[in-house]
Each structure stands twice: as C-alpha cells, then as structure tokens.
Amino acid sequence: MGLLDKEFSQENIVITSVDDLMNWARLSSLWQVGFGLACCAIEMMATSAAHYDFDRFGVIPRNSPRHSDVIIISGTVTLKMATRIKRIYEQMPDPKYVISMGSCSNCGGPYWEHGYHVLKGMDRVVPVDVYVPGCPPRPEALLEGLLKLQEKIRNESLVSKETV
Amino acid sequence: MKSTEEILELLKGKFGSDIIGLVSAPPEKMIDITPASLYNVAVFLRNNEELDFDNLMLLSGLDDANGSTLSVVYHIESVKEKHKLVLRVTVPKDNPITESVVKVWECANWHEREAFDLIGIKFNNHPNLIRILMPYDWNAGHPLRKDYKNPEFYQGMKVPY
C-alpha cells in the first residue's frame, strides 16, 4: 500500500471483493514451518537470510506447524520421516500449502532407483502445490516457487475452494 | 608400537586355535578370529599393557557376497601406543550370531545396532539391539544384504519409483 494512506485528506473507503481481500491477506504473510531435511535446507536458510530476504514476501519461519500457512519440504524424505511429515501437515490450520523443494522431495532425486529408504516423491503422502526443481535449487528458484504459490493463492476463491 | 604380525603372535600364544590367521587386504592386514572368542580377545587387546587398544574406531557389518557368510570388521587403535589393528569375524548367513563388544568399547553400541539394522547380524549380550536407521516396524529385512528385495509398500506408501 505504500504511502497511499497519506494521499487522502479525508476519510475514505476502498471497494474490493471479499475474495481479493482474503487472497491478498493470505498471500502476503505466508508463514512457513521451518522444516529442513537435507542440503536443500541450507539453500532455504540462505533464502531466509539477509541477502535473499524471504521476509520481504512476508515469509517468516515458525517453529510450530500450528502457526504456519506453508510447509517447505526441503530435502530427502525418508520413509521414516514421511510418516512424521504427514503428521506435521495434519497439524497445520487451513488454508495450508506445500512447497516441494528439490529433486529428492519432488521424485526421489538421486535415490530414485537404489534408495531403499527414500520416498519417491512427497506427493505420495501430502498434496503438493508447487514443485521447485533443482539439486539443490538456488535461492532464486525457491523465490520463484514462492511467487508461483502466491499467484495460485491470488486466483483462489472462497466460493469454489480448491485447497484440501 | 607393534606390527600386526607381532600382535598376531601374542594372540596365538594366548588363544591358540581361536585365531584363524592373517588375511592380507591391501593396504591393511586383518586378523581373522572365531566369533566365540571375540569377546575374550577384545578384553585382552584392551587390557594388555603392551597393546592398550583403548579406542574402537569403526565397526562394520559386511555381506561377503558369496551367498553363505556375513562378516564384522573391527578397526581398533591405541591412542597411547599409536598402533592400529583390524579384526574380522565371519558368521554363517543362516545363523549370523556373534558377541557384542559394548562392554569393552562403549561406542560399539550404535555401530552394532547399525550392523544389525542393515546387514542383520545379531550381537549376543548387546544392551539394546533394535533398529537404528530404518523404521522400528520395518519388516522387509536388512537392506544392505545382497539378496534384499525392497517391499512394494510401507505403511500404505508406495516404495518403488
């Protein structure tokens, strides 16, 4: 909104639809569960840090799934961890979103054939909104993934809601 | 500081036929011993003042890939005497039981659990021999065995690609 509020000399009203207002509010403060699993987590932390500054999109790492809107699965998901991820996902309040970050989480990555303990794709356990490719993805790629998620949220509607 | 050959002579003098012999596996030499004598040999190696093996560096389980045996390899060293030694015990695959050395070197605890988890070697007298890496309810066997087959499903999740 910038300095728009200083532009009016008198009280005023803004007309918008409920959908636009809700979507704007939701996409502007996506709080994420801090959930680093492997080397992708280093890139995720770099994205949160000063240089790439995730905070300018309203993304703040939280330590509890109950405070969070989005979970970034950043790293190799083992079968043992997959059961825990499902549980964490179920604790998040709706509306909730999942970003699958990196090849491991997208499809098993380098462990696709001989990784006896690796889940071959996060989408076998929880629904995924955005897949970010890369091994690991650069912080710019994760930012792009977040912008894609924001685009998705911007087009949502309370009338025909598509989130799970 | 003692060479592997000197230690072998010492062990042979003390344990006789339980010491099977020297195996050359460049760049190292290994001493083969029987599983039954393992615990006593380990106690001797640690407590003998000339040897003083106070540190278990590594314990690894192996599938020998011959269809009939599994092995456990112990890399031990003496911090004070600055010498190292490699021990090996071989157990049959259909009954892979050997002795635990947790009472001798405490750090063997998790190493033995890993060898149990991934290769399926059972260690007698281990205080807590349960899986360490794979899920506790994993019932498809021990993944690093050569004849291991990955299951189709684990807790409803499809496992193969």
Side-chain angles (χ1 to χ4, degrees):
Chain A
M1 299 296 267
L3 297 172
L4 202 60
D5 53 333
K6 305 280 192 323
E7 297 282 309
F8 300 103
S9 54
Q10 294 176 329
E11 285 181 5
N12 226 315
I13 58 166
V14 174
I15 297 176
T16 181
S17 66
V18 175
D19 271 352
D20 283 349
L21 181 68
M22 295 294 281
N23 290 344
W24 168 78
R26 278 175 186 170
L27 68 86
S28 305
S29 68
L30 286 167
W31 290 4
Q32 63 139 328
V33 194
F35 201 75
L37 290 178
C39 32
C40 280
I42 307 294
E43 299 294 311
M44 185 188 72
M45 287 183 265
T47 317
S48 293
H51 193 90
Y52 292 95
D53 196 12
F54 231 177
D55 200 6
R56 69 194 145 131
F57 300 109
V59 179
I60 306 172
R62 302 293 299 184
N63 290 323
S64 165
R66 296 176 202 276
H67 299 165
S68 308
D69 307 293
V70 60
I71 180 167
I72 301 177
I73 312 289
S74 51
T76 313
V77 181
T78 58
L79 294 164
K80 204 173 180 180
M81 186 54 95
T83 54
R84 273 77 163 172
I85 288 178
K86 190 160 174 26
R87 197 161 160 185
I88 287 173
Y89 177 79
E90 282 163 358
Q91 289 176 34
M92 291 166 61
D94 279 325
K96 52 192 171 186
Y97 305 96
V98 178
I99 295 179
S100 166
M101 178 183 180
S103 296
C104 290
S105 167
N106 290 344
C107 63
Y111 311 102
W112 71 275
E113 190 176 11
H114 299 297
Y116 51 86
H117 61 308
V118 176
L119 185 71
K120 314 295 189 300
M122 199 55 238
D123 46 11
R124 293 186 183 181
V125 180
V126 297
V128 175
D129 292 281
V130 178
Y131 298 86
V132 180
C135 188
R138 295 270 316 159
E140 291 93 332
L142 183 57
L143 290 174
E144 176 74 17
L146 182 83
L147 294 180
K148 287 279 178 215
L149 179 61
Q150 291 192 334
E151 209 171 283
K152 181 171 180 171
I153 298 170
R154 192 172 283 120
N155 294 320
E156 278 179 355
S157 171
L158 292 176
V159 182
S160 60
K161 204 163 135 188
E162 293 194 6
T163 51
V164 178
Chain B
M1 191 164 175
K2 284 191 181 302
S3 72
T4 303
E5 284 81 3
E6 288 170 312
I7 297 169
L8 179 69
E9 287 313 310
L10 264 177
L11 286 177
K12 273 195 169 156
K14 174 96 176 148
F15 294 99
S17 62
D18 277 331
I19 310 300
I20 298 168
L22 195 67
V23 182
S24 176
E28 289 178 314
K29 294 174 190 134
M30 290 190 292
I31 294 179
D32 255 342
I33 59 175
T34 59
S37 68
L38 174 67
Y39 181 75
N40 290 333
V41 171
V43 170
F44 173 75
L45 288 171
R46 189 195 61 182
N47 290 348
N48 185 297
E49 284 188 6
E50 288 174 47
L51 299 176
D52 195 23
F53 281 106
D54 51 0
N55 183 18
L56 174 70
M57 294 192 290
L58 181 68
L59 180 165
S60 9
L62 285 181
D63 187 332
D64 293 329
N66 56 13
S68 59
T69 59
L70 307 172
S71 300
V72 190
V73 178
Y74 302 81
H75 287 73
I76 55 179
E77 78 158 336
S78 165
V79 175
K80 199 170 91 196
E81 304 288 337
K82 297 189 173 58
H83 52 208
K84 294 177 182 171
L85 182 70
V86 186
L87 286 178
R88 184 173 75 174
V89 298
T90 303
V91 291
K93 199 170 185 175
D94 48 8
N95 187 25
I97 297 178
T98 179
E99 292 294 316
S100 167
V101 293
V102 173
K103 279 184 191 152
V104 188
W105 298 291
E106 191 67 31
C107 67
N109 190 323
W110 283 18
H111 291 232
E112 287 181 355
R113 278 176 65 189
E114 187 184 357
F116 165 71
D117 189 358
L118 300 180
I119 301 283
I121 295 159
K122 292 179 185 67
F123 295 89
N124 272 343
N125 302 322
H126 188 287
N128 184 29
L129 195 65
I130 55 173
R131 286 185 185 273
I132 185 168
L133 295 169
M134 301 300 287
Y136 296 133
D137 59 346
W138 190 257
N139 50 21
H142 306 284
L144 293 191
R145 283 204 187 178
K146 296 294 179 189
D147 55 358
Y148 171 77
K149 292 274 180 296
N150 225 14
E152 281 294 306
F153 288 94
Y154 167 70
Q155 287 202 4
M157 296 179 281
K158 188 164 166 261
V159 178
Y161 183 70

